[in-house]
Amino acid sequence: MRASNRRAVIAGVHNTRQARRLEEETSRSLMVKAVLGALDDAGLALSDVDGVSAMADSTSLIYDLGVGPAWQGQDFGAGMFAEAAAAVEKGYAEVVVLVAAQAGSYTDRAATAPWTRPENEFVAPWGMFTAAEFALIARRHMEVFGTTREQLSRVAATIRNNGDRNPEAIYRGRGPFKPADITASRPIAEPFHLLDCAMTSEGGCAAVVTTAERAGSLRRDPVHVLGAGVDFFGPSYQFPPSFDLRGRRDAPSNGWAGRRAADLAFRQAGIERDDVDVLELYDPFSFEIIRQLEAMRFCPEGEGGPFVEDGRIELTGSHPVTTDGGLMSFSHAGANPQMMQRVIRGVQQLRGDAGPLQVPGAHVALCTTGGAGALFTGVILLGDDLP
Amino acid sequence: MTTRLRAQTREVPHAVPSEVTAPFWDGCARGELLFQRCARCRAITFPPSEHCRGCLARGQVWEASAGRGTLYSWTVVHRPVTPAFDPPYAAAIVTLDEGYQMLTNIIDAAPDDLRADLPVRVSFRRVGGDLRLPYFVPA
């Protein structure tokens, strides 16, 4: 199949140092390091950039980096890559740098991280925070389908064991973990225990999106954006996070957020679920992996628990998930960096850069961001070649 | 587990109500659990909104719920969101008999009593300051 030269690719990626706390850094200093790192990875310079995507920071970065006139993106997570891909395919920009970073905003350890605390008057008085929002989704699934505490532990142990072996992970060398270790950790918001939950950390990351034509002469083999989609049900943490929340169309409920997005992404890519070699699933809490496997049709509804029990999601299994240790063990900085990092990990796997955690022969990666507890899920499919 | 789930006793975070939401909190102060019903299509909108979420008409009418429903999902929280909250507490979604869902806390129960579809009823409790919150207890 002959592809259009304007097909979007990811030509460079970079993670700054990640740590529980980066005393000497600010969010801005990390953004600058990440941008320069990703451009260097691609073999490009700031003078090549004519697009910036950094949510609310896009416009000030265009000024501070001196890259105007430039296209600016506003989206986040998987949608951020989809938006940048559309921009280069349409010709609004040639080289877009996507960046996110966070340092210095979580210092009061008596409370949960500030971005997890809702301010809404119908939410805040009930002591809600992100773990509780996602726990309400998980508990409903356990009640309806019989998903077990042990199945949650199996997921968390798998992901934390990936992080244990990842030299770049903040929690490298903390394992190995057995499922019983997860269950034995202290309860946070049941069914979730401490080791079911993402950590909090600081760090930044960036990626470069350009056209296949432009990437042909660059330093690294490009990774193709094969397809993408995003499902939103409303703002995060302002309404009851109900599994059965649905809109007026005949479409999946919030519990299956990401199904429509995945269906769209696979249709654009012209590939099937079986073509996916590695699943860089967003892992804010252990249950979310089980839910996403069902939502994205890797297994039938209600069968995600049994699906994760037999080693399928481990690195050597048929559906290896979250191979850097994810939000639980690699890093979980701020709202957007840790989402971008799911996609960056997909790129690393397809370029053969995943070191001891490389999935052999990985040609297609599915990356996700978000979850039903936050009323949205985004999906992006990456390939080392076009199908 | 023999712990009893209780209402909070100190001041908890609560945003200033807007013109749209103030009648709900005024209702709580009187011991009434209010929701909006559309005068045109009869659909219920909760949390409150300027427009009916069914037909988008304005002119919704406040109505009192019977305050009875069932437990839809819950989480017993042991690591409180801020020190203002005393754990454990059970954040929950209840489905009111009128057909809408709301966030609340379940109290006057043991964590092990909680299960999907448990019948519950509203119980207003005063927390810190003047705030009266619509908690739910087993019916």
Side-chain angles (χ1 to χ4, degrees):
Chain A
M1 174 180 158
R2 190 173 169 282
S4 152
N5 286 342
R6 285 212 70 86
R7 281 289 298 262
V9 300
I10 300 173
V13 294
H14 184 74
N15 284 319
T16 69
R17 195 161 77 83
Q18 314 286 312
R20 290 276 287 162
R21 186 83 178 87
L22 293 168
E23 295 285 354
E24 71 283 13
E25 301 285 1
T26 64
S27 297
R28 196 64 162 198
S29 73
L30 289 171
M31 279 190 203
V32 170
K33 284 181 177 173
V35 165
L36 296 177
L39 287 170
D40 183 58
D41 185 52
L44 287 164
L46 267 180
S47 52
D48 295 308
V49 173
D50 66 349
V52 172
S53 182
M55 299 179 70
D57 292 309
S58 292
T59 193
S60 65
L61 275 175
I62 288 171
Y63 191 93
D64 285 347
L65 298 175
V67 298
W71 173 85
Q72 65 177 17
Q74 297 293 338
D75 212 335
F76 68 97
M80 181 187 199
F81 285 84
E83 181 190 43
V88 300
E89 288 182 355
K90 280 292 223 178
Y92 302 145
E94 285 296 314
V95 175
V96 179
V97 62
L98 301 80
V99 60
Q102 186 268 315
S105 62
Y106 181 29
T107 50
D108 173 14
R109 300 281 168 168
T112 60
W115 58 85
T116 72
R117 301 200 297 262
E119 289 170 6
N120 182 276
E121 62 189 295
F122 294 94
V123 179
W126 306 118
M128 295 296 293
F129 57 111
T130 307
E133 303 269 357
F134 279 79
L136 291 174
I137 294 285
R139 175 65 70 189
R140 183 66 189 178
H141 191 276
M142 292 167 85
E143 291 287 310
V144 172
F145 296 111
T147 308
T148 67
R149 176 56 259 179
E150 288 65 36
Q151 290 161 346
L152 305 186
S153 291
R154 189 71 188 239
V155 170
T158 300
I159 293 173
R160 288 180 179 277
N161 285 337
N162 290 342
D164 174 53
R165 296 167 56 203
N166 178 4
E168 309 297 320
I170 293 173
Y171 286 164
R172 61 188 172 276
R174 293 286 188 99
F177 293 90
K178 292 196 263 317
D181 298 327
I182 311 299
T183 309
S185 62
R186 68 184 165 91
I188 299 294
E190 291 184 90
F192 297 144
H193 293 197
L194 181 67
L195 296 180
D196 289 299
C197 304
M199 71 166 93
T200 53
S201 63
E202 301 189 338
C205 63
V208 178
V209 170
T210 186
T211 63
E213 180 178 39
R214 183 67 179 266
S217 58
L218 298 181
R219 206 167 76 79
R220 299 297 308 260
D221 288 337
V223 167
H224 298 264
V225 178
L226 303 181
V230 290
D231 287 349
F232 284 85
F233 283 82
S236 303
Y237 317 137
Q238 293 186 30
F239 296 104
S242 178
F243 204 102
D244 292 295
L245 170 67
R246 58 179 72 245
R248 64 181 78 235
R249 285 200 317 284
D250 180 20
S253 73
N254 175 52
W256 313 119
R259 176 166 298 166
R260 168 187 166 278
D263 287 348
L264 291 170
F266 278 102
R267 196 180 313 151
Q268 293 157 25
I271 60 174
E272 304 298 330
R273 267 65 174 179
D274 284 349
D275 295 316
V276 175
D277 300 305
V278 57
L279 294 86
E280 293 298 343
L281 302 183
Y282 185 73
D283 61 324
F285 304 95
S286 53
F287 171 74
E288 188 57 27
I289 302 300
I290 291 171
R291 187 198 72 79
Q292 288 179 30
L293 288 166
E294 296 178 18
M296 318 252 168
R297 304 186 201 271
F298 286 96
C299 66
E301 289 177 10
E303 292 180 23
F307 188 88
V308 303
E309 274 181 333
D310 66 352
R312 258 196 204 97
I313 62 169
E314 291 171 16
L315 202 65
T316 52
S318 58
H319 294 71
V321 306
T322 318
T323 63
D324 55 1
L327 283 55
M328 293 189 195
S329 185
F330 170 68
S331 187
H332 178 202
N336 196 26
Q338 34 109 28
M339 292 203 203
M340 285 187 67
Q341 281 166 337
R342 293 295 86 235
V343 185
I344 288 173
R345 186 55 167 181
V347 171
Q348 291 172 337
Q349 281 286 357
L350 300 188
R351 300 200 310 196
D353 287 349
L357 294 144
Q358 181 64 46
V359 172
H363 299 292
V364 174
L366 176 138
C367 311
T368 62
T369 56
L375 269 52
F376 76 94
T377 301
V379 181
I380 186 164
L381 278 167
L382 305 177
D384 65 352
D385 208 345
L386 292 171
Chain B
M1 213 183 288
T2 53
T3 323
R4 294 289 284 181
L5 299 163
R6 298 178 197 288
Q8 299 297 319
T9 51
R10 285 173 287 142
E11 204 156 329
V12 299
H14 186 247
V16 179
S18 68
E19 204 172 301
V20 174
T21 63
F24 175 83
W25 297 109
D26 293 344
C28 288
R30 299 190 304 267
E32 285 185 333
L33 187 68
L34 299 186
F35 61 85
Q36 292 172 306
R37 192 187 287 282
C38 179
R40 186 165 83 181
C41 79
R42 310 299 296 158
I44 292 172
T45 288
F46 189 87
S49 170
E50 268 187 68
H51 294 259
C52 165
R53 292 199 182 97
C55 73
L56 308 187
R58 296 186 75 164
Q60 302 182 86
V61 180
W62 288 96
E63 209 173 288
S65 164
R68 293 185 169 269
T70 55
L71 182 56
Y72 174 81
S73 192
W74 73 97
T75 173
V76 177
V77 175
H78 297 268
R79 194 276 194 243
V81 57
T82 67
F85 287 86
D86 288 320
Y89 57 90
I93 300 173
V94 298
T95 306
L96 279 301
D97 287 350
E98 289 85 359
Y100 66 98
Q101 292 189 323
M102 67 177 285
L103 279 168
T104 183
N105 281 183
I106 305 295
I107 57 168
D108 295 354
D112 288 348
D113 296 340
L114 304 184
R115 56 180 169 78
D117 303 325
L118 179 78
V120 292
R121 63 179 171 79
V122 73
S123 178
F124 290 93
R125 302 293 168 94
R126 190 175 299 279
V127 295
D130 283 337
L131 190 61
R132 267 184 109 191
L133 289 177
Y135 286 89
F136 279 74
V137 299

